[in-house]
C-alpha cells in the first residue's frame, strides 16, 4: 500500500499556523473497484473538535482485512495533526464508532468541494 502524506494548504504554512489538521479518506473496492477520495482541512477555530475526532480513533490497533465476501470497501484514513502523521486501513466491516464518525466528518466537510467539482464537470459537457 502506498503511504500518503497529507500536507496543509500552502496558505497554512505562510500563516505560520502549526496546529493545522488535514484528514484524508480514500475508499477503494466495491463491485466496480472505484476509488473515491475526501479531504478536510478545518479552519483554525474548528481544530480542537477535529483533534478530538482524530484522537478517539484507535490508530495503533491492527485491523486484519475481512475475508467474508468479495467486493467489500476498504477505507484508508490519513491524518496530519501538526507534525504528526497517522494512518490506518479499515475494512468496511470495521468502520464503526470513532472511525465512522471521523470518516463521516471528512465526507461532510468535503461535500461542498465535491458539489463544486461536479458543477465544473457538468459545465464541460455539451
Amino acid at each position: 500500500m502506498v503511504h500518503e502524506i497529507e500536507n496543509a494548504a500552502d496558505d497554512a504554512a505562510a500563516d505560520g499556523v502549526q496546529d493545522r489538521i488535514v484528514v484524508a479518506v480514500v475508499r477503494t473496492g466495491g463491485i466496480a473497484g472505484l476509488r473515491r477520495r475526501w479531504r478536510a482541512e478545518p479552519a483554525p477555530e474548528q481544530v480542537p473538535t477535529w483533534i478530538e475526532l482524530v484522537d478517539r480513533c484507535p490508530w495503533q490497533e491492527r485491523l486484519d482485512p475481512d475475508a467474508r465476501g468479495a467486493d467489500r470497501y476498504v477505507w484508508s484514513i490519513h491524518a496530519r495533526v501538526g507534525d504528526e502523521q497517522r494512518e490506518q486501513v479499515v475494512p468496511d466491516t470495521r468502520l464503526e464508532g470513532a472511525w465512522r464518525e471521523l470518516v463521516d466528518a471528512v465526507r461532510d466537510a468535503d461535500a461542498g468541494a465535491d458539489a463544486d467539482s461536479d458543477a465544473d464537470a457538468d459545465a464541460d459537457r455539451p
Side-chain angles (χ1 to χ4, degrees):
M1 161 171 232
V2 175
H3 298 281
E4 298 180 23
I5 296 177
E6 293 302 327
N7 294 312
D10 292 337
D11 62 339
D15 292 341
V17 178
Q18 297 298 317
D19 292 332
R20 296 295 279 198
I21 182 169
V22 181
V23 183
V25 174
V26 178
R27 184 191 71 193
T28 57
I31 294 172
L34 298 177
R35 177 180 168 121
R36 294 278 320 261
R37 179 180 168 97
W38 299 270
R39 177 183 164 107
E41 187 171 348
E45 63 273 7
Q46 297 173 329
V47 166
T49 301
W50 281 84
I51 289 175
E52 181 182 333
L53 281 170
V54 169
D55 285 346
R56 290 189 13 223
C57 294
W59 295 95
Q60 300 304 321
E61 182 178 357
R62 177 152 168 74
L63 300 173
D64 293 322
D66 187 2
R68 295 179 294 158
D71 302 326
R72 295 208 182 256
Y73 290 123
V74 176
W75 303 81
S76 298
I77 304 168
H78 306 268
R80 179 181 178 114
V81 180
D83 292 333
E84 183 181 358
Q85 288 278 343
R86 301 178 190 180
E87 64 181 324
Q88 181 66 278
V89 177
V90 181
D92 197 43
T93 57
R94 301 286 303 272
L95 190 69
E96 56 192 15
W99 290 120
R100 170 56 76 182
E101 291 177 31
L102 181 60
V103 166
D104 288 347
V106 172
R107 291 173 72 179
D108 288 347
D110 196 20
D114 281 347
D116 290 344
S117 63
D118 289 345
D120 291 342
D122 288 342
D124 291 338
R125 291 187 184 137

